[in-house]
Amino acid sequence: MSSSSSAESKMALAKTVLSTVGSVAATAMLVRTIVHDYIPPELHEYLYFGLKNIFSKFSNQLTMVIDEFDGLVNNEIYEAAAIYLGNKLSPNIHRLKISKPEKEKNFNITMERNEEVTDVYNGQTFKWIWLCRQTEAKHFYNPRDMNSTLKSEIRSFELTFHKKNKDLVLNFYLPYIMKEAKLQKQENKTIKIHTVDYENMYNLHDMWKPMNLDHPATFGTIAMESNQKDMILKDLERFVKRKEYYRKVGKAWKRGYLLFGPPGTGKSSLIAAMANYLNFDIYDLELTTLRRNSDLRKLLVATANKSILVVEDIDCTIDLQDNLANRAVVVHSNGFHQQENKVTLSGLLNFIDGLWSSCGDERIIIFTTNHIEKLDPALLRPGRMDVHVHMAYCTPCGFKLLATNYLGIKDHKLFKEIEELIDTASVTPAEVAEQLLKEDE
């Protein structure tokens, strides 16, 4: 009798629950129909966020919204989160995005929209979700967003955590993500060489056009005396480790090199070897095509940190012989004077050692020349060209290195005779390498 009564009570409870669920579902459908049919679409979003805010007042959770753009500039926190979360994808995730640009080394793995990732830091749980919201293109446009299919899409991350962890997030968790993302980006980076895009000189973010740098030169392959290589390597290693030291002594974190010597002595190969060693991008600057000193400053500001800025054949690209401190004056036939548009020596000096040179960190500026005697002494002093590297003609030691690299042999019966000839002749490493390329044995 009792078992029958118990079964009846459970059945009644089940009917009550189902009835309640049905009523809630019907009410929800009714509310949805009313909202859809009678409330303008423009107010839907405000209604949604209003209800969300009401429920959030009774929650102990806090949500931070990290938009992709801060006005018209990139949000560094958003970029760092995208990189960081690419390595935090849990087994429970249902969808992810994967890509591999041409000639890049690694796959790019990121979250798919509306997917959730849980991260644990310092014993606390943090939930991330990537949101993408469509909007009318006429109401939202960002020229920094180069993907035409996404110009009408607003993207953001939402980070949700317990309210008690607000200080932990702001002071430790987000800085940790920024640091980790920076390290991951540097490790997975493909070195690029950037050239000036003169059609976009007035767009700060598009002034440089990048291409992958596939130059194979390393410090192990370039024909250079070992003591000179060691000097350069030690100087580079010391430079990248001294951020706090440069700040302490009040100097911009940059280093200037002058590579001088005859054509074919390996200046370009040394630059590529330095870029490969440091994993730095190269910015190739041609001064003769610039019209004014202000263009020079804008190009400097537009270069990234951890980069090498190269100005080749400095003696040929600017009128240094006349020590022009101001723009030249051109007299027209009508008697009026007009300033000539050109880059001047004073503009170049301010570029490499003035206030504008401090707009960035961990930068190396390399000048090359075939004729060091043509350079103005003002350019050669420390602080502008800190390290002078003489790129000399090939030596017997350099020949042995080239023979090892090109032919795979460290000694041969002809080596002694060849080394004696090289020691007395003015022959460049490029000329020796060309001869070695002609033979397979």
Side-chain angles (χ1 to χ4, degrees), residues 215-218 220-223 264 266 269 394 398-410 415 428-441:
H215 202 297
T218 67
T221 61
I222 55 177
S269 294
C394 192
F399 165 73
K400 282 187 175 180
L401 177 62
L402 288 170
T404 302
N405 292 337
Y406 282 78
L407 302 180
I409 55 176
K410 295 184 178 181
F415 272 19
T428 66
E431 292 170 325
V432 174
E434 179 59 30
Q435 295 301 316
L436 294 174
L437 281 172
K438 293 178 180 180
E439 301 293 339
D440 292 329
E441 343 179 306

Side-chain angles (χ1 to χ4, degrees), residues 237-430:
E237 291 172 359
R238 184 168 57 248
F239 169 72
V240 297
K241 294 177 180 177
R242 303 183 86 182
K243 177 180 180 179
E244 296 304 323
Y245 175 79
Y246 275 84
R247 189 173 297 275
K248 177 182 177 182
V249 299
K251 288 178 64 68
W253 192 16
K254 65 179 181 63
R255 193 78 168 151
Y257 283 78
L258 173 64
L259 312 184
F260 65 96
T265 50
K267 293 186 285 291
S268 297
S269 294
L270 176 58
I271 294 171
M274 294 170 72
N276 287 328
Y277 179 75
L278 295 171
N279 203 23
F280 280 14
D281 281 1
I282 294 176
Y283 289 82
D284 186 20
L285 179 59
E286 177 60 62
L287 291 179
T288 55
T289 54
L290 300 182
R291 298 182 57 188
R292 54 185 68 87
N293 291 332
S294 59
D295 290 342
L296 197 59
R297 291 194 294 269
K298 286 191 291 185
L299 286 169
L300 177 65
V301 172
T303 59
N305 295 337
K306 290 182 176 290
S307 62
I308 298 175
L309 180 65
V310 178
V311 182
E312 294 191 277
D313 298 322
I314 182 64
D315 55 299
C316 301
T317 57
I318 191 170
D319 188 3
L320 300 180
Q321 291 287 14
D322 296 332
N323 277 330
L324 294 177
N326 298 295
R327 298 183 187 277
V329 176
V330 179
V331 181
H332 292 272
S333 57
N334 57 10
F336 289 99
H337 290 66
Q338 180 177 330
Q339 286 186 330
E340 180 183 354
N341 284 331
K342 66 185 299 182
V343 175
T344 64
L345 175 61
S346 62
L348 180 64
L349 295 179
N350 287 329
F351 169 78
I352 61 177
D353 193 31
L355 290 174
W356 288 94
S357 67
S358 62
C359 297
D361 280 332
E362 208 169 354
R363 288 175 176 162
I364 292 175
I365 304 176
I366 300 179
F367 296 91
T368 72
T369 180
N370 298 333
H371 306 283
I372 189 174
E373 69 279 0
K374 292 184 178 181
L375 299 186
D376 191 284
L379 272 172
L380 299 176
R381 72 168 179 79
R384 291 169 179 164
M385 297 182 181
D386 306 292
V387 182
H388 296 184
V389 181
H390 183 205
M391 306 299 293
Y393 288 109
C394 192
T395 63
C397 180
F399 165 73
K400 282 187 175 180
L401 177 62
L402 288 170
T404 302
N405 292 337
Y406 282 78
L407 302 180
I409 55 176
K410 295 184 178 181
D411 198 8
H412 191 274
K413 61 183 180 181
L414 294 176
F415 272 19
K416 185 176 181 181
E417 181 181 353
I418 294 173
E419 289 171 9
E420 290 175 354
L421 291 171
I422 286 178
D423 208 19
T424 57
S426 296
V427 59
T428 66

Side-chain angles (χ1 to χ4, degrees), residues 176-236:
Y176 167 77
I177 289 176
M178 298 282 288
K179 181 179 178 181
E180 286 295 306
K182 184 178 180 181
L183 292 175
Q184 292 176 28
K185 187 176 180 180
Q186 188 68 14
E187 290 175 1
N188 299 329
K189 171 182 172 182
T190 297
I191 300 175
K192 298 184 182 297
I193 182 168
H194 303 253
T195 57
V196 179
D197 186 351
Y198 297 100
E199 295 182 357
N200 288 302
M201 281 296 294
Y202 296 98
N203 189 337
L204 187 64
H205 303 286
D206 299 317
M207 298 177 77
W208 293 99
K209 183 162 47 177
M211 294 182 63
N212 287 350
L213 179 69
D214 295 324
H215 202 297
T218 67
F219 278 96
T221 61
I222 55 177
M224 179 183 287
E225 293 296 320
S226 58
N227 58 343
Q228 196 174 33
K229 284 185 189 179
D230 292 341
M231 181 274 292
I232 297 173
L233 284 170
K234 289 179 181 177
D235 188 76
L236 292 174

